[in-house]
């Protein structure tokens, strides 16, 4: 596929997906969502990529959905749009490989929803967040309500959605929305450092851990712990489990083969 809105670069096991500017700042439209879905399908089957970094350009991670494209929709056409948008977010969320959001600036509306679909989030000090849909007479439809509810708790999630207010990276860190806040010029270095830390682990174990987290999030505690038990047992069918435990007993660094 010839991508018009995305750039994929590969660096020693890391795939960096950059959303290119649309108009003056990064804005989402249906073409961007289609490309994101297709790119992450390709990344899933790409053996050269074991960890993904998703980022934007300029002063925006993604500044939201292009309202010009959205405003004249009817319930039927907008449902088609939001299904495609949700599919892109779900594709990121369910990718078997860890995805790190490197949030370089504005993450509004659908942009924040993309960040929420990632496993880990690092933001620059000048990043800004918000679900501003309520200010346009609508609600978030691409996952923010349910993911925020599970991530930061219902009380804070309702405040974010009901008020539509913009909040800064420090508030996002205090809320638990991001893992780390760094100076703007250190953002990609920090994202790469985290990616390399994950590359040192077993890709098999990381994939099972991600499946356990994501699957268990929608279950009762008891059912979710059954999922943990199942994936824990599956680890013992891997070469990496043998290598990891033998390395520990031999007082050396494990050399995982990711199988």
């Amino acid at each position: 596929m010839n991508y018009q809105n995305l750039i994929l670069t590969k660096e020693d096991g890391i795939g960096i997906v950059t959303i290119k500017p649309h108009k003056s700042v990064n804005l989402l439209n249906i073409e961007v969502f289609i490309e994101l879905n297709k790119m992450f399908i390709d990344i899933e089957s790409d053996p050269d990529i074991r960890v993904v970094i998703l980022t934007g350009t300029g002063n925006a991670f993604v500044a939201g959905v292009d309202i010009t494209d959205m405003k004249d929709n009817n319930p039927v056409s907008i449902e088609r749009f939001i299904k495609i948008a949700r599919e892109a977010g779900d594709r990121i969320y369910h990718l078997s490989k860890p995805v790190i959001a490197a949030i370089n600036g504005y993450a509004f509306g659908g942009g924040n929803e993309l960040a929420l679909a990632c496993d880990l989030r690092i933001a620059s000090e000048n990043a800004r967040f918000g679900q501003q849909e309520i200010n346009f007479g609508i609600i978030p439809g691409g996952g923010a309500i349910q993911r925020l509810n599970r991530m930061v708790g219902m009380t804070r999630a309702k405040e974010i959605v009901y008020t539509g207010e913009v909040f800064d990276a420090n508030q996002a860190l205090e809320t638990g929305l991001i893992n780390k806040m760094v100076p703007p010029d250190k953002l990609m270095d920090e994202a790469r450092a985290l990616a390399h830390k994950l590359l040192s682990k077993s890709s098999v174990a990381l994939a099972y851990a991600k499946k356990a987290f994501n699957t268990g999030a929608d279950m009762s505690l008891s059912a979710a712990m059954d999922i943990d038990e199942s994936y824990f047992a599956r680890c013992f069918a891997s070469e990496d489990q043998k290598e990891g435990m033998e390395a520990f007993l031999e007082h050396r660094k494990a050399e995982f083969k990711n199988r």
Side-chain angles (χ1 to χ4, degrees), residues 59-84:
N59 62 355
F61 175 70
V62 177
V65 173
D66 192 338
I67 300 299
T68 303
D69 290 346
M70 179 181 281
K71 67 183 181 65
D72 293 326
N73 278 275
N74 58 49
V76 174
S77 62
I78 200 62
E79 187 167 4
R80 174 178 176 268
F81 175 89
I82 203 62
K83 282 184 181 297
I84 292 171

Side-chain angles (χ1 to χ4, degrees), residues 177-198:
L177 188 66
I178 62 174
N179 300 90
K180 193 172 187 179
M181 178 179 67
V182 299
D185 61 344
K186 301 294 185 183
L187 178 64
M188 291 307 296
D189 288 340
E190 290 287 344
R192 286 184 176 92
L194 178 55
H196 280 290
K197 184 178 292 186
L198 299 181

Side-chain angles (χ1 to χ4, degrees), residues 142-202:
I145 290 177
Q146 303 309 324
R147 289 197 170 115
L148 280 171
N149 189 22
R150 288 160 172 76
M151 192 175 298
V152 303
M154 186 177 291
T155 300
R156 179 61 175 136
K158 284 184 174 180
E159 181 183 4
I160 291 170
V161 172
Y162 288 4
T163 65
E165 292 178 347
V166 172
F167 53 99
D168 62 25
N170 189 59
Q171 291 170 295
L173 184 63
E174 291 175 351
T175 299
L177 188 66
I178 62 174
N179 300 90
K180 193 172 187 179
M181 178 179 67
V182 299
D185 61 344
K186 301 294 185 183
L187 178 64
M188 291 307 296
D189 288 340
E190 290 287 344
R192 286 184 176 92
L194 178 55
H196 280 290
K197 184 178 292 186
L198 299 181
L199 285 172
S200 72
K201 313 303 179 183
S202 163

Side-chain angles (χ1 to χ4, degrees), residues 191-230:
R192 286 184 176 92
L194 178 55
H196 280 290
K197 184 178 292 186
L198 299 181
L199 285 172
S200 72
K201 313 303 179 183
S202 163
S203 291
V204 176
L206 283 172
Y208 284 155
K210 181 168 181 174
K211 287 180 180 178
F213 272 114
N214 291 358
T215 305
D218 297 323
M219 295 180 169
S220 68
L221 177 60
S222 178
M225 290 178 70
D226 288 341
I227 293 294
D228 292 353
E229 180 183 314
S230 175

Side-chain angles (χ1 to χ4, degrees), residues 108-137:
F108 296 152
N112 194 45
E113 288 178 320
L114 286 179
L116 293 172
C118 298
D119 297 288
L120 302 167
R121 285 161 292 281
I122 300 176
S124 73
E125 293 170 343
N126 58 5
R128 297 293 181 269
F129 302 82
Q131 295 298 150
Q132 298 166 297
E133 290 88 346
I134 202 77
N135 300 327
F136 304 119

